[in-house]
Amino acid sequence: MNLLKYEWKKLFVRKIFIIVFIGFILLNIGLIAFQYKTDFLDKQLSTAEKYYTLEFTGKITKEKVTKLSTMIEQVSNETNKDYKSGGKEGDIIVLQSIYDDMRSRYTYHQDMQTYLKVLTDNIDYFKNQNVEQQYNTFLYNEYKDRQITTYDYIVGWNQLFHYDKTIILMSFVVIFGVVLMISNERDSHMDVLLKTSIKGRKYFQKIRFVHMISFVLIVVIAFSITELLTFLILYGFHGLFEPLYALKDFYRSSISCNMLQCYFLIVLIRLIIMLLLVQIIQVISKYIPHYILAFFLSALIILGLIVVANDTQVFNPFALLQESQLFIEKDCIQIGPLCMFTYQWLMLIGVGYNLILAIMSLIGKEGVSYET
């Protein structure tokens, strides 16, 4: 326990980490607020959109769809009305957008049944080709129970799932924290213990590993909670339990869950990626004598893996940096009888790489230099 406290002190002994940690969280909140302000440049139009959407929130019925269609006709024919957007054209645009969105949700189950019919035909057609048949069967089982029965204001969720600044800022804080830990370890001469005491080295390695996991966990949770709360406060606490595929971009999403569940999955993806970042640096610093050289080599490897992530995502877990964009895809990875969506496969190999790196960091020699 004392060594674990020591590990945390290695971070917080320097105020620079606290400044960077809190500063980047506040920066992220500021960037989200700026995006919100940009989204609502036309305040009257945005207010009208929210007003009419909330008016039709709830169970989707044929009567609601018809009522919305009638309202569009009425607004088109009326004059001198108290328009929510400040003008007739604005109200018509808003109402037409809501009508199209509600109608697509109302007919979603029917559209999905048509798609399922195509998959069923494919299953019969490829009955002698196991790979194709398994692929179509997998898709059929994923989509067969999908339907959208309610309507809600989910603009904020759409913006949240397309927001990509958090993962960048989070990565910087995690890498910065690891560099500080390695630097402080050298400055406090803890590396002498790692070189001279086998018993002390093994115990310290375990403590450092626990600290690494807890450090990443705290950073990921802190950034994710502030991100989620900021979006919900700005855009409203709406649509938490709406299905992800209610969003237009996720119409044929590879995951069947609600908005909140999807966000929890994104947090898990971030945890896998951040642990991978830390462990790459830890393992390389273990075998490279000079921590500065180890850090730059780690940064070079990580940067290279990120750059080629899209082209090598079959075995490159850094493709997980795309976060929710992976859920838009419905491509499958098939290994023998096992069929998985891309995001599932990437999470699996991400966990696998983390386990391998964890074993490497807990065994073998220490390479941290104690030379002056």
Side-chain angles (χ1 to χ4, degrees):
M1 185 58 69
N2 289 332
L3 270 179
L4 189 57
K5 290 179 181 178
Y6 165 78
E7 282 291 298
W8 279 106
K9 284 182 180 179
K10 284 196 301 185
L11 267 182
F12 292 101
V13 72
R14 296 184 182 179
K15 293 181 180 179
I16 185 65
F17 176 76
I18 300 174
I19 294 171
V20 169
F21 184 39
I22 296 175
F24 271 60
I25 287 179
L26 293 176
L27 174 61
N28 197 36
I29 292 172
L31 290 171
I32 296 170
F34 178 76
Q35 176 173 306
Y36 173 78
K37 187 176 181 180
T38 304
D39 292 339
F40 288 83
L41 284 176
D42 193 330
K43 192 172 182 180
Q44 283 187 311
L45 198 65
S46 301
T47 301
E49 180 185 16
K50 189 171 183 178
Y51 172 83
Y52 285 122
T53 301
L54 293 178
E55 184 177 337
F56 288 93
T57 293
K59 186 175 176 61
I60 301 175
T61 62
K62 185 177 181 181
E63 289 73 21
K64 279 188 178 181
V65 177
T66 303
K67 179 183 176 182
L68 194 50
S69 178
T70 304
M71 282 183 66
I72 296 173
E73 293 180 8
Q74 290 175 345
V75 173
S76 300
N77 297 327
E78 288 178 357
T79 56
N80 301 321
K81 185 181 182 294
D82 182 22
Y83 299 110
K84 301 300 178 183
S85 65
K88 177 190 287 190
E89 292 77 10
D91 273 35
I92 292 173
I93 291 172
V94 169
L95 287 169
Q96 187 64 52
S97 175
I98 294 173
Y99 173 79
D100 293 340
D101 191 19
M102 183 179 284
R103 184 170 178 78
S104 69
R105 297 192 199 188
Y106 180 69
T107 60
Y108 183 86
H109 184 66
Q110 181 181 339
D111 295 341
M112 195 53 61
Q113 291 304 309
T114 303
Y115 179 60
L116 290 173
K117 178 65 168 60
V118 173
L119 292 176
T120 304
D121 292 341
N122 287 343
I123 292 171
D124 292 336
Y125 181 77
F126 293 113
K127 60 184 177 181
N128 295 322
Q129 299 181 39
N130 289 336
V131 173
E132 291 294 335
Q133 188 181 49
Q134 288 172 358
Y135 170 72
N136 284 277
T137 302
F138 179 73
L139 290 178
Y140 179 88
N141 292 331
E142 181 64 32
Y143 292 115
K144 65 180 179 180
D145 297 322
R146 290 192 180 185
Q147 58 181 330
I148 305 174
T149 58
T150 56
Y151 185 75
D152 205 346
Y153 184 72
I154 53 177
V155 172
W157 289 103
N158 184 63
Q159 298 302 96
L160 173 59
F161 292 141
H162 286 86
Y163 181 75
D164 58 1
K165 308 295 189 306
T166 301
I167 190 70
I168 298 171
L169 298 176
M170 187 190 302
S171 300
F172 182 88
V173 171
V174 167
I175 293 173
F176 183 71
V178 174
V179 172
L180 272 184
M181 282 188 280
I182 296 174
S183 174
N184 289 335
E185 189 174 287
R186 177 189 175 95
D187 295 341
S188 62
H189 304 294
M190 178 55 73
D191 48 356
V192 176
L193 171 63
L194 300 179
K195 284 284 187 177
T196 58
S197 171
I198 296 176
K199 184 178 179 180
R201 178 170 68 242
K202 289 182 178 179
Y203 180 63
F204 181 75
Q205 285 173 338
K206 292 177 182 178
I207 292 295
R208 188 168 61 179
F209 182 73
V210 172
H211 171 252
M212 174 195 68
I213 295 176
S214 60
F215 164 65
V216 170
L217 194 61
I218 288 173
V219 173
V220 170
I221 289 176
F223 270 92
S224 299
I225 287 178
T226 53
E227 176 192 53
L228 179 61
L229 286 178
T230 304
F231 269 99
L232 290 177
I233 290 170
L234 292 175
Y235 289 91
F237 288 74
H238 307 289
L240 276 73
F241 304 106
E242 286 288 293
L244 176 66
Y245 46 82
L247 296 170
K248 291 180 181 178
D249 289 345
F250 297 86
Y251 191 75
R252 294 251 177 107
S253 170
S254 57
I255 180 173
S256 298
C257 66
N258 61 41
M259 304 293 182
L260 201 55
Q261 289 170 336
C262 180
Y263 190 77
F264 288 148
L265 184 59
I266 289 173
V267 173
L268 180 58
I269 286 173
R270 289 172 176 175
L271 184 60
I272 292 172
I273 286 295
M274 292 304 109
L275 281 173
L276 194 60
L277 280 175
V278 171
Q279 292 205 99
I280 288 175
I281 297 173
Q282 290 273 52
V283 169
I284 291 178
S285 68
K286 183 182 179 70
Y287 293 98
I288 301 295
H290 300 282
Y291 74 90
I292 295 178
L293 178 61
F295 169 71
F296 280 108
L297 181 59
S298 302
L300 188 63
I301 291 173
I302 292 168
L303 183 61
L305 289 171
I306 292 173
V307 169
V308 301
N310 287 333
D311 298 323
T312 59
Q313 67 176 19
V314 174
F315 60 87
N316 188 346
F318 280 99
L320 285 170
L321 288 170
Q322 299 175 66
E323 294 189 331
S324 61
Q325 301 307 299
L326 286 169
F327 305 148
I328 297 177
E329 302 176 9
K330 58 184 179 68
D331 294 334
C332 294
I333 304 292
Q334 191 158 0
I335 304 174
L338 185 63
C339 197
M340 292 181 288
F341 284 117
T342 303
Y343 82 90
Q344 294 172 326
W345 168 252
L346 288 173
M347 290 180 70
L348 182 63
I349 63 172
V351 171
Y353 284 163
N354 270 305
L355 289 174
I356 292 171
L357 290 172
I359 293 171
M360 291 177 66
S361 66
L362 290 172
I363 63 174
K365 67 172 186 177
E366 274 290 341
V368 179
S369 172
Y370 56 89
E371 298 171 4
T372 58

